Amino acid sequence: MNDPAPHLLVVDDDERIRDLLAKFLKRNGFLVTTAREAEQARRLLGGLEFDMIVLDVMMPGEDGITLTRSLREKLQTPILLLTAKGETRDRINGLEAGADDYLPKPFEPRELLLRINAILRRMPEAQAEHSAPKVLHLGPIRYDIDKGEMWRGDEPIRLTATESQLMRIFSAHPGEALSRMRLVEDLGRSSGRDGGKAQERAVDVQITRLRRKIEDDPKQPRYLQTVRGAGYMLAPD
């Protein structure tokens, strides 16, 4: 059985850069979750384990170096900093804060890929140490991301193939609203010119069924939420 893909957290306030990085890294075999700022990154790190954090320095509010310094008080997860500042002093500040590497913008995507792989290769002990299943908690329910298994206590919760696909999609983007059209595309459904609305309605049906399995009150969902005008969002504990 193949090892699970490394799970990266990409944090950047620029939506365009964030989406481009996520698409590029996914094409190169990584599982990617994104955050738009430090606060969202902290929430994700509180509920998920990541193999690496790719972090922009120049963010509004809490900047990347401050966040790195704070995270290093309790996490050993590798951190690669991205910034428009390339001066030696800035690189030193980032490394002193606890970053594992530093890549100035603009950069070639292939160089980013090489840096990420180099850092992961340097950390075999950390990878082995954190090889325990990555788990999301939804109240009394836990979902093992690597195995695609859901449990309530000691009792397994059976998921259909489509429900399993949906959980994998949502667990890669916790706290992020995903549109119905995006879910149709990620499920690999052919929407066609006339079938798009039908496929979106089919997703609604699957969401309703999944809620029955994970929510105490499916009509007032706490974990698989509807975000008005945006789609659906998984909000783990």
Side-chain angles (χ1 to χ4, degrees):
M1 184 175 178
N2 295 331
D3 292 334
H7 193 178
L8 309 182
L9 175 60
V10 175
V11 188
D12 197 307
D13 64 299
D14 188 316
E15 182 178 3
R16 176 178 169 276
I17 293 176
R18 192 169 65 238
D19 291 346
L20 286 173
L21 286 178
K23 290 177 182 177
F24 173 75
L25 293 169
K26 288 176 183 178
R27 286 200 304 268
N28 283 277
F30 294 99
L31 182 64
V32 181
T33 296
T34 61
R36 62 185 172 274
E37 33 80 20
E39 183 179 354
Q40 186 182 17
R42 288 181 183 280
R43 290 198 300 269
L44 292 169
L45 288 163
L48 285 172
E49 286 187 15
F50 293 92
D51 296 289
M52 183 181 292
I53 303 167
V54 179
L55 175 61
D56 183 39
V57 169
M58 303 298 289
M59 295 188 297
E62 186 176 9
D63 64 52
I65 290 178
T66 303
L67 177 59
T68 297
R69 188 176 291 112
S70 175
L71 293 177
R72 275 292 170 259
E73 296 177 0
K74 54 185 177 180
L75 289 178
Q76 294 303 312
T77 307
I79 298 174
L80 172 62
L81 292 177
L82 306 177
T83 183
K85 292 185 176 181
E87 292 84 357
T88 300
R89 174 174 48 82
D90 295 307
R91 293 199 299 271
I92 291 173
N93 286 340
L95 295 172
E96 285 182 341
D100 295 84
D101 204 349
Y102 196 102
L103 185 59
K105 296 178 180 178
F107 54 84
E108 288 291 333
R110 294 295 301 177
E111 182 178 3
L112 173 64
L113 189 62
L114 290 171
R115 297 283 187 105
I116 289 173
N117 285 328
I119 293 171
L120 291 176
R121 283 197 302 271
R122 291 203 302 265
M123 305 195 63
E125 293 181 6
Q127 286 180 302
E129 184 179 320
H130 292 95
S131 61
K134 300 177 180 66
V135 177
L136 284 179
H137 294 277
L138 310 168
I141 293 171
R142 66 185 188 278
Y143 175 70
D144 186 319
I145 295 173
D146 291 339
K147 295 181 180 179
E149 295 177 351
M150 186 177 286
W151 299 78
R152 184 188 292 271
D154 295 327
E155 294 295 321
I157 297 175
R158 293 189 177 276
L159 299 175
T160 65
T162 301
E163 289 167 352
S164 293
Q165 280 184 279
L166 282 172
M167 282 302 302
R168 287 188 183 277
I169 294 167
F170 281 120
S171 62
H173 304 277
E176 179 180 343
L178 304 179
S179 70
R180 291 189 297 170
M181 181 52 68
R182 178 172 176 179
L183 292 172
V184 168
E185 293 172 353
D186 286 355
L187 286 169
R189 303 291 177 81
S190 176
S191 58
R193 189 176 66 179
D194 300 321
K197 293 299 181 183
Q199 292 292 356
E200 290 183 15
R201 286 193 294 272
V203 166
D204 293 338
V205 172
Q206 295 294 339
I207 293 291
T208 298
R209 292 176 177 173
L210 186 54
R211 280 173 171 164
R212 290 172 185 160
K213 297 183 178 182
I214 67 176
E215 300 285 357
D216 290 333
D217 183 356
K219 294 183 179 179
Q220 294 184 318
R222 174 181 176 185
Y223 301 108
L224 189 47
Q225 301 175 4
T226 299
V227 181
R228 186 177 298 276
Y232 297 106
M233 178 180 73
L234 187 69
D237 292 329

